[in-house]
Amino acid sequence: MVRTVSGQPGRIPGPEDPASPADRTGHRSPGLRDVPGVRQRAAAFIRRRRLTPYALLLPSTIAIGLLVFWPTIQIAEFSLQNYGLPQVTGVAPTQWVGGANFSAILSDPEFWLSLRISLIFAAVVVPLTLLTGTLVGLLLNRLGPKMAAFVSSAAMLAWATPAVSASVIFIWLTDPDGGVVDWVLARMPSWLGGGAHWAGFSWTNAPLPAYTLLTVLVVWQGFPFVAVSVLAGLKTIPAELHESARVDGGGAWRIFWRVTYPLLKPIFLVLLLLSIIWDFGVFTQAYLVTGELGNRDEYNLGIYVYDRAFTMPPSYGIGSALALILTVILLIITIGYVRASVRQGAIQ
Amino acid sequence: MRLRSRAARRAGLNVLGVLVALVTLFPILWMASTAFKPAREIYSLTPHLLPAHPTLGNFRSVLDGKVIGLPYWNFLKNSLFVTLASVIASMLISLLAAIAVARFRFRLRTSYLIMLLIVQMLPQQAMVIALFLDFRSIGLLDNLAGLILVYTAFSIPVTIWMLRSFVAAVPREMEEAAAIDGAGPMRIFWRIMLPLVAPGLVATSVFAFIFAWNEFIFALTFLGTDTAKYTLPIYVTYFYGRGTVDWGSIMASSVLFTLPVLVFFLIVQRRMTNGLMAGAVKG
């Protein structure tokens, strides 16, 4: 594969190559006939060294450019067009409609509802994921090596479980007929919130229960990554720091906020921003738990985008405008993420 | 006294650790347990942790294709084909790019790395609209090749980022020594870079594997009409979507879909998490 570098048409020294004539005119003296060849080769080598990284980046740039950047540009374009069923089947041409898609979206109560659901969901799930993950990370740090390996393996299995399987499992766990969650809740004492009214309770038919279920599901899949990241950060903190803090009489709570947290702050910042991006745009789990586009009042922004674009009759224009709004929101958070990563020295 | 309290604390922490592990594993164990239960135990009024009369009936109906009309193997084949092709493609492409950003200093290097970070965060439910229309016009819908293209392109921003740290860890002196001994770039690549980066390639390819194997939204959108082309995630939800919900079959199909990932993941777990850290959090 590296061969492509020297095989590139631009690199074969030819008459149009600016380096060759200079070499030829500069060293014409007989007896040194092979010197120009050497110099030429050296020059070619330097040029090759200079162009090699670009040649190496060519395949990835083409793939990302064609399949990620180009669609993004197209979405911006479609968002200003009346792109629907007649246009995609070729019955009618696409027309530019200016900001009509956007004004339709902004006056659509369903858009604001889905945006609200996405915002509230992220506001609940992100802190819960970070809290659970941090607590498990702190626990892992204090366990013996074998126990820590066992617990972190178990946790990472939850992380590696495919979103589709995880969703189907949690829907089954909370199923009104035969689901184990309702069964347990119905048998729990009332002071713990249990009671017979839980028997046959449907978790997916109303927004609040559905998003409670989604919260548990997404935290379950999300906390292991936080835990392992926090653990990796904790390992970089010298043990003496904690010991001296303990000798100074600090409790666990104080030590965490005075020693651990400030040192891990950059990691927490990156984890916070990543979690916001992931949880705000969560699709697969939300799509399956809310019944595969079955309950409009349970749409989050991601599902709403998908529904407007693809549900018959499809409206790719409106869908693209919504997709653009979702992309811009996520890009704003991404800028923070990139800045945090750069400050941490990730771009070295 | 002091020793005893330390032992007690250690035991307490261990109990807590086991508790965390059990709570975390419970949904996965429940999936497996349900898959082996006969229907009358699944819908029993008192659920049991383990099947009283374990049966392979659910697996048999999944493997024979009772619900969808096609056997499990058909979908396993689709998923394996798409996943392996995109893993190989993304490893080739991202190794080249990783060498470029880890071994060379050039003008656009920082911009390229930042571009990779941003690209990872673009929402797929946005991209899928434009890609659906593009693929529709060039006949890549209901076509596994379309999925391979998308999975390759969407995994390389992360795999480049992960591989970068593995390439950077290869001592530069080894390459220089080989170059002094007269080895060309190709030879250096095959004899030095590739063997030393191989563990990193394995860890990174697990990421690409999990991404492609689990991917849902593109498969859902692109493989709309042709049931025979479904990949495993769409296949599992197909069971779920049909009127009468047969949880035994759903859990059995879900086990057959999830197990390869979990086994694969456990094998390379340590390297994998290290690589992920290198990707997301430079620790």
Side-chain angles (χ1 to χ4, degrees):
Chain A
M1 285 303 276
V2 176
R3 262 274 183 238
T4 49
V5 176
S6 36
Q8 253 201 331
R11 5 193 31 76
I12 300 156
E16 75 285 356
D17 199 323
S20 331
D23 282 345
R24 241 173 256 147
T25 48
H27 300 272
R28 270 278 147 207
S29 53
L32 279 171
R33 200 163 279 171
D34 57 336
V35 170
V38 170
R39 296 202 80 201
Q40 214 169 315
R41 238 183 293 153
F45 179 75
I46 289 166
R47 252 180 297 132
R48 188 184 301 160
R49 289 290 295 183
R50 211 178 288 147
L51 284 175
T52 306
Y54 296 102
L56 291 172
L57 290 182
L58 201 60
S60 56
T61 310
I62 290 174
I64 294 172
L66 278 182
L67 290 147
V68 184
F69 276 124
W70 177 236
T72 312
I73 294 167
Q74 281 182 304
I75 283 164
E77 184 191 332
F78 298 157
S79 72
L80 303 171
Q81 296 176 341
N82 66 337
Y83 205 144
L85 197 56
Q87 285 74 28
V88 81
T89 48
V91 176
T94 50
Q95 281 168 332
W96 295 91
V97 293
N101 289 331
F102 289 97
S103 52
I105 288 167
L106 293 181
S107 59
D108 177 2
E110 280 197 316
F111 163 71
W112 293 106
L113 180 66
S114 68
L115 180 66
R116 212 176 68 137
I117 287 182
S118 279
L119 285 173
I120 297 174
F121 182 69
V124 172
V125 170
V126 170
L128 267 181
T129 312
L130 291 182
L131 183 69
T132 317
T134 307
L135 288 177
V136 174
L138 289 168
L139 175 67
L140 287 174
N141 195 38
R142 303 200 49 190
L143 290 174
K146 270 194 190 142
M147 197 62 192
F150 168 67
V151 178
S152 69
S153 296
M156 287 312 278
L157 284 184
W159 176 85
T161 300
V164 166
S165 306
S167 309
V168 174
I169 294 170
F170 273 71
I171 295 168
W172 164 228
L173 285 170
T174 57
D175 192 70
D177 313 309
V180 70
V181 169
D182 281 358
W183 184 81
V184 169
L185 282 173
R187 267 147 201 83
M188 256 169 35
S190 54
W191 58 270
L192 269 174
H197 62 282
W198 285 107
F201 179 80
S202 166
W203 288 85
T204 52
N205 273 349
L208 190 61
Y211 276 89
T212 309
L213 169 56
L214 263 174
T215 301
V216 179
L217 167 55
V218 172
V219 170
W220 180 71
Q221 288 211 278
F223 89 86
F225 183 75
V226 177
V228 177
S229 303
V230 168
L231 178 66
L234 287 170
K235 293 270 186 239
T236 64
I237 299 178
E240 301 85 60
L241 265 179
H242 278 138
E243 258 155 46
S244 64
R246 210 166 295 141
V247 169
D248 289 351
W253 181 255
R254 257 175 78 101
I255 292 175
F256 178 80
W257 288 110
R258 290 288 174 83
V259 181
T260 317
Y261 177 72
L263 287 169
L264 294 189
K265 216 170 160 185
I267 292 180
F268 279 121
L269 183 61
V270 169
L271 288 172
L272 171 74
L273 293 164
L274 278 174
S275 301
I276 295 175
I277 294 167
W278 289 334
D279 297 339
F280 185 79
V282 63
F283 181 82
T284 305
Q285 294 92 331
Y287 176 86
L288 291 171
V289 166
T290 62
E292 301 181 271
L293 306 181
N295 300 300
R296 295 195 78 87
D297 57 338
E298 294 176 17
Y299 282 4
N300 70 10
L301 190 53
I303 302 177
Y304 188 55
V305 171
Y306 194 81
D307 175 73
R308 287 314 301 268
F310 290 109
T311 302
M312 283 291 164
S315 174
Y316 305 114
I318 297 257
S320 298
L322 278 165
L324 200 63
I325 294 173
L326 177 66
T327 308
V328 168
I329 294 174
L330 290 179
L331 273 182
I332 292 170
I333 309 165
T334 304
I335 291 170
Y337 165 67
V338 170
R339 285 177 53 142
S341 303
V342 169
R343 212 172 303 144
Q344 242 190 289
I347 316 269
Q348 234 110 76
Chain B
M1 184 64 204
R2 209 185 136 82
L3 257 172
R4 217 154 111 208
S5 82
R6 192 182 276 174
R9 173 176 282 177
R10 172 130 248 152
L13 285 173
N14 282 341
V15 168
L16 203 59
V18 171
L19 225 78
V20 168
L22 283 182
V23 169
T24 311
L25 287 177
F26 177 74
I28 299 172
L29 297 175
W30 194 253
M31 163 183 76
S33 151
T34 307
F36 287 103
K37 281 179 184 170
R40 100 190 101 79
E41 281 183 51
I42 290 174
Y43 300 102
S44 139
L45 288 175
T46 42
H48 288 283
L49 197 57
L50 294 171
H53 307 281
T55 169
L56 289 173
N58 297 318
F59 288 98
R60 213 169 292 131
S61 77
V62 167
L63 293 176
D64 297 346
K66 205 181 73 188
V67 178
I68 200 167
L70 283 162
Y72 165 80
W73 312 111
N74 175 64
F75 307 99
L76 177 69
K77 203 184 67 195
N78 290 344
S79 262
L80 274 180
F81 172 60
V82 170
T83 303
L84 292 180
S86 62
V87 166
I88 292 168
S90 78
M91 284 307 109
L92 284 173
I93 294 173
S94 54
L95 180 57
L96 297 182
I99 292 174
V101 290
R103 275 292 185 260
F104 294 89
R105 292 277 174 273
F106 51 98
R107 256 210 357 234
L108 295 174
R109 186 175 167 276
T110 311
S111 324
Y112 185 84
L113 287 172
I114 289 176
M115 182 274 284
L116 291 182
L117 279 183
I118 294 173
V119 162
Q120 290 171 34
M121 300 305 155
L122 293 172
Q124 292 172 5
Q125 50 290 46
M127 241 56 78
V128 74
I129 300 173
L131 283 169
F132 172 81
L133 294 169
D134 291 338
F135 281 14
R136 190 180 186 281
S137 60
I138 54 174
L140 279 177
L141 291 186
D142 288 324
N143 190 332
L144 295 179
L147 284 185
I148 294 172
L149 287 177
V150 171
Y151 293 173
T152 306
F154 277 81
S155 64
I156 52 179
V158 182
T159 51
I160 294 172
W161 200 263
M162 285 172 74
L163 270 178
R164 187 177 75 113
S165 57
F166 289 106
V167 172
V170 174
R172 207 182 275 263
E173 294 75 34
M174 293 188 68
E175 286 160 72
E176 284 163 2
I180 289 166
D181 289 348
M186 276 303 275
R187 225 177 129 78
I188 294 177
F189 175 78
W190 285 110
R191 288 298 176 80
I192 294 173
M193 185 56 92
L194 204 58
L196 287 173
V197 175
L201 274 176
V202 172
T204 311
S205 62
V206 173
F207 169 82
F209 181 94
I210 290 182
F211 170 75
W213 184 263
N214 296 0
E215 202 286 324
F216 179 68
I217 184 167
F218 288 109
L220 173 77
T221 314
F222 294 169
L223 308 176
T225 52
D226 192 350
T227 318
K229 294 271 172 59
Y230 281 5
T231 52
L232 284 174
I234 310 302
Y235 167 72
V236 170
T237 60
Y238 183 93
F239 279 82
Y240 167 59
R242 307 301 109 180
T244 52
V245 185
D246 175 6
W247 285 111
S249 295
I250 297 175
M251 289 299 122
S253 68
S254 181
V255 166
L256 291 171
F257 165 53
T258 312
L259 210 61
V261 190
L262 297 190
V263 169
F264 200 20
F265 176 76
L266 275 183
I267 294 171
V268 283
Q269 191 217 357
R270 185 144 303 179
R271 279 218 181 87
M272 171 85 190
T273 41
N274 287 345
L276 271 179
M277 289 315 107
V281 185
K282 207 194 163 206

